[in-house]
C-alpha cells in the first residue's frame, strides 16, 4: 500500500505566489497526496485564492501566529505518514513526492532534495540550494552535526519528514519560532533516524523582494541580527533535545560553522551598538572563524582559502575598507562572476528567516 503524503503549505500575505504553490502540490505524479493550506492571518486576498480550490485542499484560516503556529496547525490537520512543508512562495516539481517516496525506507527521519532558484515571476536564476548538491550528507549524520555545527541542508520546501518524527517534535513553542521554524525541525530530525539526500532538483526556491532573511545587494545589519538569533535559537533547541535524549552538544556549537561567525563579525563591524552578543570581539571572532573554516567538512579548498583571508581583513581593517570585504564575503556574486565565498557550502540549515 502506498503511503499517504501530506503537503502542508504555510502562507502569510503571499497571495501572488500562493496559487503556484498549491498548483504544484496538486500536480504531483504520485498518489495518494493530501494538500493542507494554512493561512496565518493574511490581510491580502489569500483567502480568495485558497477558496478557488474548494475541497481539493484542506483549508485552515487562523489568526496570525507565525511560522511555528502555521506548522502546528497544519500538522494537526494532516494524516500522512510522510509530511512535507511547502512555503507559499516556493513550488514543487511534479515528480517531487514520487522521488521522495521511492527513496524512503525504514528508519528514515527526513529526506531532502535540491531547490532551484527562481525569481518573483518564476523564471530560473541558474543557482540552486545547496550550491554543491553532491555534498549533501546521508545516513546517520549525528556525529558530523555535533562536530561541524550543522550540515548541508535546504530550506523548508526541500524537506520531507516522517510523521513519527514530527509527533515527537511538534507542537513547536510558537513564541520562540515566529520565523524560521523549519530550522528547529531540520537540525533535530537527524537525531531520530537516517537522512536521505536526493541530489536532484525537485522544487523551486523563490527569491524576491519580500524574502526578509535574504541578503542580496545591500548589507542590512538587521537581517544579519535575525540570522544570528535564529542560529542561537537552533542551538538552544538542539541543546534542550540533547538533555532529554541523554547526549550533550559541544559548547559554542553554532560557532563551529563559519557562516554563523561571518554573520556575527559582519554585524559587529557594521553596527556594534545593536549587535546581539555583548561579549563578541572582532579579533576573537576572527580566530574562531579561521579555526572553524579549516575543520568544517562543508568547505572546499577554494572556500577555505577565501575565508582564511576574509576573516582577518573583515576583523582588522578600518571600517570603510572592512565593509567592502564584508560585502564581498556575504553578498552573491554579480557581474564580476560567482562569489568565491559560495564555494563554502552552507553547512548550517539554510533558512530565509522570514519575518511574519
Amino acid at each position: 500500500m502506498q503511503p499517504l503524503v501530506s503537503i502542508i503549505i504555510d502562507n502569510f500575505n503571499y497571495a501572488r505566489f500562493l496559487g503556484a504553490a498549491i498548483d504544484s502540490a496538486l500536480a504531483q505524479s504520485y498518489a495518494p497526496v493530501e494538500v493542507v493550506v494554512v493561512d496565518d492571518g493574511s490581510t491580502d486576498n489569500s483567502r480568495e485564492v485558497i477558496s478557488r480550490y474548494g475541497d481539493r485542499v484542506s483549508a485552515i484560516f487562523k489568526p496570525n501566529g507565525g511560522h511555528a503556529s502555521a506548522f502546528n496547525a497544519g500538522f494537526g490537520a494532516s494524516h500522512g505518514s510522510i509530511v512535507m512543508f511547502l512555503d507559499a512562495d516556493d513550488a514543487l516539481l511534479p515528480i517531487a513526492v514520487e522521488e521522495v517516496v521511492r527513496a524512503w525506507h525504514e528508519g528514515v527521519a527526513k529526506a531532502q532534495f535540491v531547490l532551484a532558484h527562481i525569481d518573483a515571476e518564476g523564471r530560473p536564476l541558474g543557482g540552486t540550494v545547496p550550491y554543491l548538491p553532491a555534498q549533501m550528507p546521508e545516513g546517520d549524520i549525528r556525529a558530523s552535526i555535533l562536530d561541524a555545527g550543522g550540515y548541508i541542508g535546504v530550506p523548508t520546501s526541500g524537506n520531507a519528514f516522517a510523521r513519527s518524527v514530527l509527533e515527537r517534535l511538534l507542537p513547536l513553542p510558537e513564541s520562540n519560532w515566529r520565523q524560521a521554524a523549519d530550522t528547529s525541525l531540520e537540525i533535530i530530525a537527524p537525531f531520530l533516524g537516517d537522512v536521505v539526500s536526493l541530489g536532484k532538483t525537485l522544487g523551486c526556491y523563490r527569491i524576491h523582494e519580500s524574502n526578509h532573511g535574504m541578503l542580496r545587494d545591500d548589507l542590512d545589519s538587521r537581517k544579519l541580527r535575525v540570522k544570528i538569533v535564529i542560529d542561537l535559537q537552533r542551538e538552544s533547541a538542539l541543546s534542550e533535545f540533547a538533555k532529554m535524549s541523554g547526549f550533550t552538544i559541544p559548547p559554542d556549537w553554532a560557532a563551529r560553522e563559519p557562516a554563523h561567525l561571518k554573520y556575527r563579525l559582519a554585524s559587529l563591524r557594521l553596527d556594534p551598538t545593536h549587535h546581539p552578543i555583548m561579549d563578541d570581539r572582532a579579533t576573537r571572532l576572527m580566530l574562531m572563524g579561521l579555526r572553524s573554516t579549516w575543520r568544517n567538512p562543508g568547505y572546499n579548498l577554494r572556500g577555505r582559502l577565501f575565508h582564511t583571508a576574509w576573516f582577518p581583513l573583515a576583523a582588522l581593517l578600518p571600517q570603510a575598507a572592512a565593509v567592502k570585504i564584508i560585502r564581498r564575503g556575504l553578498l552573491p556574486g554579480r557581474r564580476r562572476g560567482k562569489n568565491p565565498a559560495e564555494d563554502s557550502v552552507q553547512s548550517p540549515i539554510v533558512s530565509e528567516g522570514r519575518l511574519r
Side-chain angles (χ1 to χ4, degrees), residues 5-295:
V5 177
S6 300
I7 302 175
I8 299 171
I9 301 174
D10 64 285
N11 174 70
F12 176 65
N13 284 344
Y14 273 167
R16 59 181 173 143
F17 305 129
L18 179 57
I22 297 174
D23 288 342
S24 77
L26 292 173
Q28 292 300 304
S29 59
Y30 174 89
V33 168
E34 68 171 2
V35 179
V36 179
V37 184
V38 181
D39 184 73
D40 191 36
S42 294
T43 56
D44 61 5
N45 65 322
S46 291
R47 180 182 285 266
E48 176 185 339
V49 173
I50 297 168
S51 298
R52 294 175 195 157
Y53 292 90
D55 60 5
R56 299 173 68 196
V57 304
S58 297
I60 299 173
F61 299 99
K62 57 182 288 299
N64 180 254
H67 211 192
S69 176
F71 277 18
N72 292 342
F75 182 68
S78 70
H79 306 89
S81 59
I82 299 174
V83 179
M84 302 170 70
F85 293 101
L86 175 63
D87 283 336
D89 55 342
D90 295 336
L92 296 173
L93 298 188
I95 62 170
V97 174
E98 181 180 344
E99 292 287 342
V100 166
V101 172
R102 180 180 293 121
W104 204 270
H105 56 79
E106 185 72 23
V108 171
K110 67 159 271 188
Q112 58 181 13
F113 49 85
V114 181
L115 299 174
H117 291 156
I118 59 173
D119 67 10
E121 307 305 320
R123 295 173 297 220
L125 293 173
T128 62
V129 56
Y131 172 63
L132 294 177
Q135 295 190 16
M136 296 167 72
E138 283 203 299
D140 183 349
I141 64 172
R142 292 174 295 180
S144 62
I145 289 175
L146 295 176
D147 187 54
Y151 65 97
I152 301 168
V154 290
T156 307
S157 303
N159 295 278
F161 297 92
R163 185 173 198 86
S164 59
V165 167
L166 294 179
E167 286 173 341
R168 294 187 59 178
L169 302 181
L170 296 176
L172 288 170
E174 297 178 3
S175 61
N176 293 351
W177 294 104
R178 283 196 61 86
Q179 60 204 58
D182 55 310
T183 62
S184 175
L185 302 180
E186 291 159 19
I187 201 61
I188 298 175
F191 289 86
L192 295 171
D194 288 345
V195 171
V196 169
S197 292
L198 292 81
K200 302 176 181 180
T201 300
L202 299 177
C204 299
Y205 179 85
R206 196 183 303 268
I207 296 175
H208 55 92
E209 72 280 358
S210 298
N211 291 139
H212 297 287
M214 294 294 295
L215 294 173
R216 286 182 292 273
D217 294 317
D218 297 315
L219 287 174
D220 186 333
S221 58
R222 183 183 64 92
K223 291 181 181 179
L224 290 171
R225 292 194 296 272
V226 167
K227 289 179 175 292
I228 292 165
V229 170
I230 288 171
D231 281 350
L232 296 179
Q233 286 180 314
R234 185 172 60 105
E235 179 180 56
S236 177
L238 180 58
S239 180
E240 290 180 13
F241 176 81
K243 290 177 183 176
M244 293 187 296
S245 303
F247 68 94
T248 58
I249 68 172
D252 291 327
W253 171 77
R256 292 177 171 237
E257 166 48 50
H260 170 74
L261 294 167
K262 286 170 67 178
Y263 298 145
R264 281 169 60 175
L265 181 55
S267 169
L268 181 65
R269 294 304 314 268
L270 292 172
D271 189 1
T273 301
H274 298 100
H275 183 65
I277 303 177
M278 293 183 61
D279 60 350
D280 269 353
R281 299 293 181 269
T283 52
R284 179 171 177 267
L285 291 173
M286 174 190 73
L287 294 174
M288 292 169 67
L290 292 173
R291 183 167 58 250
S292 66
T293 291
W294 286 94
R295 66 172 294 168

Side-chain angles (χ1 to χ4, degrees), residues 288-310:
M288 292 169 67
L290 292 173
R291 183 167 58 250
S292 66
T293 291
W294 286 94
R295 66 172 294 168
N296 192 295
Y299 288 71
N300 63 21
L301 180 59
R302 187 166 181 247
R304 285 174 174 161
L305 292 174
F306 177 85
H307 286 90
T308 298
W310 186 89

